[in-house]
Amino acid sequence: MIRILAILFFPLILFSQSFLYQLQNLDINETANSNFNLVVTSYSKDGTLDEAYTIDELQKLHDTNKTVLSYMSIGEAGDYEYYFDQSWLDADGNPSPTAPEWLGHLNPNWPGDYKIRYWYDEWFEDFLKPYLDRIIDNGFDGVYLDIIDAYEYWADRDNYTNYGGIETLLPNDPIDDENRSAYLMIELVKKISDYAKSKKPGFLIYPQNGAAIINYDANGSYFDAIDGLGIESLFYVRDNKAIENTERVKLVKKFLDNGKNVIVTDYVDDGSGFKGENRNRILDFIKLCKDNGFTPYVADINQTLERINPIAKDLAAHLDTITHPLFRKFNIGIGSGQGIDFEAVDGSKVWLNVVDLMTPADLNISYYNNIKDYNLTLFEKIQSRLINADSLTLWMVKGWQESWFNKAKLQTLLDHNKTIIFNYWYFGDTIGVDNAIDLILAGKDEYLEDASRLGRFIADLNGTVAVVMEPEFNKASITDSTENAILFASILKEAMKRIRAQKSDVLLSICPMDTGIRSSFTSYGGYKRDSLGDKNEWSRFLPVIDELKDELDFITIQEMVGQFTKDSSKFPSDELISYTKDQLGLKDLPKRIENFSSFLNERYYLPVLLGYITLPETGWRDLNGNNLYDDGELIEDLWLDESVALYHRLKRNAKSLYEHGLFGFYPMALFDDPDHDLGGYQFFSENEYHIGIIATDATNGVAGTPRSAHITLKGLNGISILDILYSDQPYLFLDGGWNLVGLPEIADLSQFSAVWGYKNSEWFANINGFSASELESYGIHQLDTIEPHRGYWVLTDKAMLIPYDTNRSNIDDCLESTGWSLCSHIETEDIERSDLSFIWKYDRGSWKQRNSSNILYDSFDYIENIYLDEGVWIRK
């Protein structure tokens, strides 16, 4: 019977996903409502018998499926414990003449804790055994045995007075005999285990630290006596990475090999929030634990264990998924329908499967050759780029049919280690109407059945599959009422559970849209200017995510901006409104995306995905002043340079974006869609037909219009957005006008209007129309050679892209001994030096600065990052 109970209980611990380690001030209700399923705490709230946790209190934890271990030090005795007699200490806090022989001296690192000669029978019989009785009787499920490594202390001769230490050498002390001292500790653990398990079958024994004791356990009796292992500071010693810990990790893994659960506490949270180095350290610790099969607990850096660490609490439900391979690198995917309809030679349709463009499929087949004006070379070029895309996003709308998808092809995509994300847009624009919540409630049952159907559809897909619930849900009908928000969230939660019930490894998300003020000229939203973000508007949808956070594996955001849209203030009219680049804050958009990600990541500690983004290149000019779109008013490629710049910056800034919680982004569509949202509201009006990164010649606004193969890869001067996003070749983006950048060594200077360099306090230039002698007449030297470690002022008459190299330079190769230098091919850490007094860079028309005095100037943004392709003025 004992063995059966132990077997039934053991898997709960072996596969525990999270644990809490809190020795002081444990709040039973807060803990019961947390997602931890293993709790390590003290027997008593303050060490006294009166404040011991009761059976009823522990039952509250058991009712929420928590296993509770009582901390119990067996190698030291605390003067705060109920059994400790203060008469054992003299006035100086040292053992008094009446103290038991087994009481050693104070641990100088932990005031109040005294070393114990743990092999004395009296220590076990008179103190540990009664302590175990109380722990068992009060309803604990096991003990967490600390100071196992006391065996090292008593074997070390330096701890005895004979050799300069503080302990009096007694006849039975195992001085210089670590083999014996380890054996004595193993015997004590066996006694504790045998006694406790005889009283309560299935009682758990978890020693903490002292893993090296197994080197002295020849017959495996230590493993037989324990059920798990607790370890502290395995990968990080507070905020420093543990060095030379390889052998210790190997030793700990032997416990796993012997079927023991390993829980690890590293004191890595410095209290600065889930951002910057603290975030990186926490995530690295969790990943290291999960990679090795250990269960992590993120603890406060002060090591007091007096509260539930808030980051650990919110991550408790996500420890498996937060380390998912999808989140371990920066992803660049693509959005598309699975089938892209092209016009056939005979006027019918040919459906090009986008999976064939993302995998090494044969495009030279008769079916595809039937596409009108099919250009195999061009489509193979597209394939050569998209084969590097990480993921595919597909939309599932209300009424979706399985026949819309080729599951065999989807599995092929997954077999190529790519991710499939379904944007589940069931309620769609219904959420935007005034009585939306009533309509949602009326259709709840149908919706939940559809969610189950979706779960069944994806259940047999083998690979990384995600479902994003209700993109753009944060409309006024939901967010203006907390009651509606919570009600809506409860329906989504049930739908998510139904999907996960069909496919347990599905990743689930929800997607708010980025609404709010975007102007570069105002500052109402909590940032220096509203183009950087709008916290007020972003906060409106938080009640929905608050309700769903435990079900979510990541959060998705979106960005859709255009030069013109419908004027929502005049709904349902089709009147339009146009914007300037500054009104939409386009130059700040990459930073806004970073801020949006940080805003969510720092609150929920979940990875964030920019699930779809589009900036249509088209513009509108109201020629007749009627505020409506009329034929002939579309301006082709008006904002193509901004679209290209946006995608370029997002890829270039990937490292910084990732450090702010964003694990990737996906262009909304591969091809322009001639009937996108036709029949819907079409907020972006004619822009709706230009959301892709490949242009087509299809007739816009006609339902079912197929494309011919007359397609154009959107980009600049022969370099496409596809090239930017899905090739290993980095590119330098240059605005029309002045740019402060680095240049590749082999740059063709003739393609620029002017290039200026600065070296040894002198100017060098290469200017169209100026000879070397003319330049010299102005005291300017002719610039003929590009030095890759130097920065340059470059003037162009239009935006362009040029191939670039990412070889990092040594900043000292550029810096003058004193004064100003113009450098490039350096990164942020290169300028973090005390001898550099001022740093300036010029980014898309705006100056940014950093100085050694950390003075912030309202007129200039602070330099947060330096990128390899930027030119930087540095004063030494």
Side-chain angles (χ1 to χ4, degrees):
M1 183 63 180
I2 292 175
R3 181 171 177 79
I4 292 173
L5 288 171
I7 291 172
L8 287 173
F9 190 80
F10 186 64
L12 172 65
I13 300 305
L14 182 60
F15 299 107
S16 62
Q17 301 303 312
S18 60
F19 80 101
L20 167 65
Y21 191 13
Q22 183 179 350
L23 299 183
Q24 303 180 60
N25 308 319
L26 186 77
D27 185 312
I28 292 293
N29 291 327
E30 181 185 12
T31 304
N33 291 325
S34 73
N35 287 298
F36 300 109
N37 55 16
L38 177 63
V39 178
V40 179
T41 191
S42 300
Y43 162 76
S44 167
K45 300 177 183 69
D46 62 1
T48 66
L49 292 179
D50 290 341
E51 290 298 318
Y53 291 107
T54 66
I55 291 178
D56 289 342
E57 286 177 313
L58 294 183
Q59 188 59 46
K60 288 183 179 180
L61 301 182
H62 291 146
D63 288 344
T64 55
N65 299 315
K66 290 171 176 50
T67 300
V68 190
L69 306 183
S70 174
Y71 176 89
M72 184 180 184
S73 176
I74 62 172
E76 290 180 350
D79 63 6
Y80 45 84
E81 295 284 4
Y82 76 89
Y83 59 75
F84 198 95
D85 189 337
Q86 295 300 320
S87 69
W88 294 346
L89 303 179
D90 62 20
D92 296 324
N94 295 316
S96 69
T98 61
E101 192 173 78
W102 46 259
L103 184 67
H105 278 71
L106 182 71
N107 180 344
N109 297 318
W110 292 99
D113 287 336
Y114 289 80
K115 296 294 182 180
I116 294 294
R117 289 177 170 85
Y118 51 85
W119 54 91
Y120 276 57
D121 288 339
E122 296 89 339
W123 172 236
F124 176 71
E125 293 292 338
D126 298 340
F127 295 95
L128 294 186
K129 202 153 81 168
Y131 201 172
L132 280 169
D133 290 339
R134 295 180 184 277
I135 289 170
I136 292 170
D137 292 344
N138 282 24
F140 283 92
D141 304 300
V143 284
Y144 193 70
L145 306 178
D146 200 11
I147 318 298
I148 298 296
D149 51 8
Y151 75 89
E152 298 173 347
Y153 177 83
W154 292 105
D156 186 354
R157 66 166 51 204
D158 291 340
N159 291 318
Y160 294 91
T161 54
N162 309 46
Y163 304 97
I166 57 175
E167 302 290 356
T168 301
L169 181 61
L170 300 179
N172 287 327
D173 288 341
I175 184 172
D176 291 333
D177 192 352
E178 192 162 285
N179 188 68
R180 178 168 171 261
S181 64
Y183 168 78
L184 293 171
M185 177 57 77
I186 292 171
E187 287 300 302
L188 176 61
V189 172
K190 287 168 59 179
K191 277 185 185 180
I192 292 170
S193 180
D194 290 343
Y195 178 75
K197 289 177 186 290
S198 70
K199 287 202 67 174
K200 185 175 183 178
F203 194 77
L204 299 165
I205 307 296
Y206 270 61
Q208 176 176 254
N209 299 324
I213 199 170
I214 62 173
N215 293 328
Y216 303 96
D217 182 30
N219 60 7
S221 60
Y222 190 70
F223 283 131
D224 291 340
I226 67 174
D227 301 285
L229 173 71
I231 287 289
E232 294 177 294
S233 304
L234 181 61
F235 297 108
Y236 280 87
V237 180
R238 297 194 176 187
D239 55 355
N240 296 310
K241 195 77 173 275
I243 57 175
E244 299 181 357
N245 71 332
T246 303
E247 292 305 314
R248 189 177 181 215
V249 173
K250 287 181 179 178
L251 199 63
V252 172
K253 291 191 80 169
K254 289 183 179 180
F255 286 78
L256 279 185
D257 295 340
N258 282 272
K260 310 304 174 185
N261 187 34
V262 175
I263 57 178
V264 180
T265 302
D266 275 11
Y267 302 90
V268 290
D269 181 11
D270 65 14
S272 62
F274 199 60
K275 57 188 176 181
E277 288 302 315
N278 197 45
R279 173 185 177 274
N280 294 342
R281 184 170 55 251
I282 290 169
L283 287 178
D284 186 51
F285 161 60
I286 293 172
K287 290 173 184 175
L288 287 168
C289 283
K290 300 303 289 186
D291 285 348
N292 285 282
F294 310 149
T295 302
Y297 179 70
V298 174
D300 294 333
I301 204 167
N302 60 17
Q303 296 184 281
T304 58
L305 298 173
E306 60 186 3
R307 66 165 188 164
I308 297 179
N309 180 276
I311 295 175
K313 180 182 177 182
D314 278 1
L315 287 180
H318 308 288
L319 289 179
D320 277 343
T321 54
I322 201 171
T323 58
H324 191 283
L326 179 63
F327 309 137
R328 293 197 174 199
K329 70 183 186 82
F330 196 80
N331 296 261
I332 302 178
I334 188 65
S336 180
Q338 188 181 355
I340 312 296
D341 55 325
F342 285 90
E343 184 179 0
V345 174
D346 62 4
S348 61
K349 290 184 179 180
V350 173
W351 291 90
L352 177 68
N353 198 304
V354 72
V355 172
D356 289 342
L357 295 177
M358 299 179 69
T359 58
D362 184 3
L363 301 180
N364 188 20
I365 59 176
S366 58
Y367 182 67
Y368 290 158
N369 285 324
N370 194 39
I371 296 174
K372 185 179 179 181
D373 301 320
Y374 184 58
N375 184 335
L376 177 63
T377 301
L378 180 56
F379 277 86
E380 287 181 337
K381 179 179 180 180
I382 296 171
Q383 183 189 53
S384 72
R385 296 295 180 253
L386 283 182
I387 207 166
N388 298 314
D390 296 299
S391 308
L392 172 65
T393 294
L394 301 168
W395 286 76
M396 277 188 159
V397 300
K398 185 176 182 179
W400 64 274
Q401 301 297 317
E402 291 193 23
S403 60
W404 295 356
F405 305 95
N406 183 326
K407 287 185 72 174
K409 288 284 188 181
L410 294 181
Q411 186 58 58
T412 297
L413 193 66
L414 294 170
D415 291 343
H416 282 82
N417 296 316
K418 299 184 188 297
T419 298
I420 298 174
I421 298 178
F422 292 98
N423 284 339
Y424 188 28
W425 200 54
Y426 182 88
F427 294 115
D429 288 334
T430 300
I431 294 177
V433 302
D434 291 338
N435 62 335
I437 199 68
D438 295 328
L439 296 175
I440 291 170
L441 286 171
K444 174 183 174 181
D445 292 341
E446 182 182 349
Y447 169 56
L448 294 179
E449 176 51 39
D450 196 72
S452 296
R453 185 168 69 97
L454 170 56
R456 291 191 295 271
F457 174 72
I458 64 175
D460 58 352
L461 289 174
N462 184 22
T464 301
V465 177
V467 176
V468 178
M469 310 295 289
E470 288 307 318
E472 304 175 27
F473 73 88
N474 52 317
K475 295 183 171 71
S477 60
I478 302 299
T479 60
D480 282 356
S481 163
T482 301
E483 181 182 357
N484 285 355
I486 293 174
L487 186 57
F488 178 68
S490 69
I491 296 171
L492 289 188
K493 182 182 289 187
E494 178 60 29
M496 296 164 80
K497 288 181 176 179
R498 291 199 178 197
I499 294 170
R500 207 185 294 274
Q502 301 294 330
K503 185 172 177 61
S504 60
D505 62 350
V506 67
L507 300 175
L508 295 175
S509 182
I510 191 169
C511 178
M513 56 183 167
D514 182 4
T515 55
I517 306 171
R518 292 177 178 268
S519 173
S520 301
F521 305 117
T522 58
S523 56
Y524 302 113
Y527 293 96
K528 185 175 182 179
R529 51 188 177 273
D530 290 326
S531 53
L532 295 170
D534 188 342
K535 292 181 180 179
N536 298 325
E537 187 65 25
W538 294 345
S539 297
R540 287 162 56 83
F541 59 76
L542 296 182
V544 174
I545 301 184
D546 288 344
E547 293 295 312
L548 294 175
K549 62 183 180 181
D550 289 345
E551 300 295 329
L552 298 173
D553 299 302
F554 64 100
I555 299 172
T556 304
I557 58 176
Q558 57 83 268
E559 289 287 351
M560 297 179 68
V561 291
Q563 188 264 346
F564 64 100
T565 67
K566 288 184 178 178
D567 188 344
S568 56
S569 68
K570 297 180 179 179
F571 179 82
S573 167
D574 286 334
E575 290 189 44
L576 302 181
I577 184 171
S578 62
Y579 307 90
T580 66
K581 295 178 181 180
D582 285 331
Q583 285 174 324
L584 292 179
L586 290 190
K587 292 183 179 179
D588 282 331
L589 187 50
K591 183 60 181 177
R592 182 186 181 98
I593 291 167
E594 183 175 284
N595 288 339
F596 197 8
S597 177
S598 287
F599 176 79
L600 293 167
N601 185 244
E602 290 177 21
R603 182 181 178 92
Y604 298 108
Y605 317 130
L606 292 174
V608 179
L609 173 68
L610 180 55
Y612 54 102
I613 179 171
T614 184
L615 174 55
E617 73 280 4
T618 44
W620 168 68
R621 183 181 293 114
D622 189 12
L623 297 177
N624 57 17
N626 65 355
N627 294 328
L628 297 171
Y629 176 79
D630 295 301
D631 289 343
E633 293 184 341
L634 194 71
I635 308 172
E636 301 283 351
D637 297 343
L638 178 68
W639 278 5
L640 180 60
D641 58 338
E642 291 297 335
S643 182
V644 170
L646 175 60
Y647 288 120
H648 172 271
R649 287 295 193 263
L650 289 177
K651 183 174 183 182
R652 186 199 68 176
N653 300 6
K655 179 181 177 182
S656 179
L657 291 167
Y658 189 74
E659 290 176 347
H660 286 79
L662 196 81
F663 69 89
F665 69 91
Y666 302 173
M668 185 172 183
L670 178 59
F671 291 95
D672 283 346
D673 187 346
D675 57 3
H676 183 259
D677 200 26
L678 194 63
Y681 179 49
Q682 289 195 314
F683 177 71
F684 285 93
S685 183
E686 201 73 9
N687 273 328
E688 301 272 355
Y689 310 130
H690 299 271
I691 60 175
I693 57 176
I694 300 177
T696 74
D697 64 349
T699 303
N700 292 333
V702 179
T705 301
R707 310 156 177 83
S708 80
H710 284 142
I711 58 177
T712 304
L713 308 186
K714 297 179 185 180
L716 297 173
N717 56 284
I719 298 172
S720 69
I721 295 173
L722 282 168
D723 293 327
I724 296 171
L725 298 182
Y726 309 111
S727 75
D728 294 330
Q729 172 63 57
Y731 293 94
L732 172 66
F733 174 84
L734 297 170
D735 270 310
W738 284 105
N739 303 265
L740 183 55
V741 295
L743 288 173
E745 194 170 3
I746 58 173
D748 177 9
L749 301 184
S750 66
Q751 64 187 314
F752 311 124
S753 300
V755 181
W756 287 75
Y758 185 79
K759 178 181 178 181
N760 298 327
S761 302
E762 295 185 307
W763 285 99
F764 295 75
N766 188 303
I767 305 175
N768 283 346
F770 279 76
S771 65
S773 58
E774 287 176 301
L775 291 172
E776 289 291 346
S777 69
Y778 291 100
I780 301 166
H781 304 295
Q782 174 73 18
L783 175 66
D784 293 317
T785 304
I786 295 298
E787 297 179 70
H789 56 272
R790 300 197 180 276
Y792 296 91
W793 282 104
V794 178
L795 176 65
T796 66
D797 59 0
K798 60 183 178 181
M800 66 171 62
L801 292 161
I802 61 173
Y804 194 65
D805 67 82
T806 54
N807 296 320
R808 187 172 173 182
S809 297
N810 185 335
I811 190 172
D812 290 315
D813 292 339
C814 166
L815 292 175
E816 309 292 347
S817 57
T818 59
W820 288 99
S821 304
L822 186 52
C823 304
S824 75
H825 286 77
I826 60 174
E827 293 187 331
T828 312
E829 50 264 38
D830 294 319
I831 63 170
E832 294 172 343
R833 293 171 35 167
S834 59
D835 61 337
L836 305 182
S837 56
F838 281 97
I839 299 99
W840 290 85
K841 74 175 187 177
Y842 184 76
D843 181 28
R844 304 208 68 202
S846 299
W847 284 102
K848 299 182 180 181
Q849 67 83 35
R850 184 189 284 200
N851 59 79
S852 57
S853 301
N854 292 320
I855 299 172
L856 300 178
Y857 297 98
D858 289 339
S859 301
F860 305 104
D861 286 352
Y862 178 77
I863 294 175
E864 296 182 10
N865 294 292
I866 299 290
Y867 298 99
L868 292 171
D869 61 355
E870 294 181 311
V872 186
W873 280 108
I874 301 175
R875 182 173 181 178
K876 185 176 180 181

